Amino acid sequence: MDLTESRGFDSKISNAMLKSKLKALRRLPFSRSQKIYSNFKSPVQTQRSPSCPIVVQTSLEKEIEELKRKRKELDFEIAQFESNAMGIYELEQHIDLLHEYNDIKDMGQTLLGRLAVVRGVTTRDLYAHFGLEHDD
């Protein structure tokens, strides 16, 4: 049984005619170019690393200069801190005290929140009751 019989076509239509009609349906659009079957080129642009050693050398030199500039800025800031009588030790101690203050403040906020729940009031009411400012 051939393709024409299985689909119920008239047996006068030959397989060759069917093949030619199918080929016509698969026809490619008109193009003068012979490269119809060329490799696919993605429209997404990719950045390529510079292959020229001069370009690589230039970018590395710029990066080195930028790092040297940042180092000078940091050295200047350190000198300013030291001139204001604040050494590294004092600065670390100050930061530690700020951390401790924030931890104590967080615990106080937590206690006020729990107390507000127990009393059935808002924390704002408790601030007023204990004479605290809203910025505290």
Side-chain angles (χ1 to χ4, degrees), residues 108-117 119-136:
Q109 293 287 336
T110 303
L111 288 174
L112 279 175
R114 288 184 181 179
L115 186 60
V117 169
R119 290 188 178 183
V121 295
T122 65
T123 53
R124 180 176 292 217
D125 294 336
L126 287 180
Y127 271 82
H129 178 74
F130 290 113
L132 300 172
E133 295 290 325
H134 291 288
D135 296 337
D136 289 342

Side-chain angles (χ1 to χ4, degrees), residues 20-116:
S20 68
K21 286 186 179 189
L22 288 173
K23 213 180 233 185
L25 291 174
R26 289 187 291 150
R27 214 179 288 159
L28 295 174
F30 178 73
S31 173
R32 295 180 196 265
S33 172
Q34 295 296 325
K35 291 198 165 210
I36 291 175
Y37 297 107
S38 65
N39 293 334
F40 174 76
K41 293 181 183 176
S42 174
V44 177
Q45 299 292 323
T46 58
Q47 289 186 348
R48 297 180 185 173
S49 60
S51 59
C52 180
I54 296 171
V55 174
V56 172
Q57 183 69 25
T58 305
S59 65
L60 288 176
E61 288 173 357
K62 286 181 183 178
E63 188 174 348
I64 290 170
E65 291 300 319
E66 179 67 22
L67 290 172
K68 285 180 180 179
R69 186 188 61 76
K70 282 185 179 181
R71 183 177 179 183
K72 284 181 183 180
E73 286 178 9
L74 292 173
D75 287 340
F76 179 73
E77 288 180 21
I78 290 171
Q80 279 184 327
F81 279 124
E82 289 175 348
S83 69
N84 292 333
M86 185 177 285
I88 300 295
Y89 175 74
E90 289 88 8
L91 187 61
E92 288 176 0
Q93 186 180 12
H94 185 73
I95 290 171
D96 289 340
L97 289 173
L98 284 174
H99 283 296
E100 186 177 347
Y101 168 79
N102 284 331
D103 290 340
I104 293 171
K105 186 177 176 183
D106 290 342
M107 284 187 271
Q109 293 287 336
T110 303
L111 288 174
L112 279 175
R114 288 184 181 179
L115 186 60

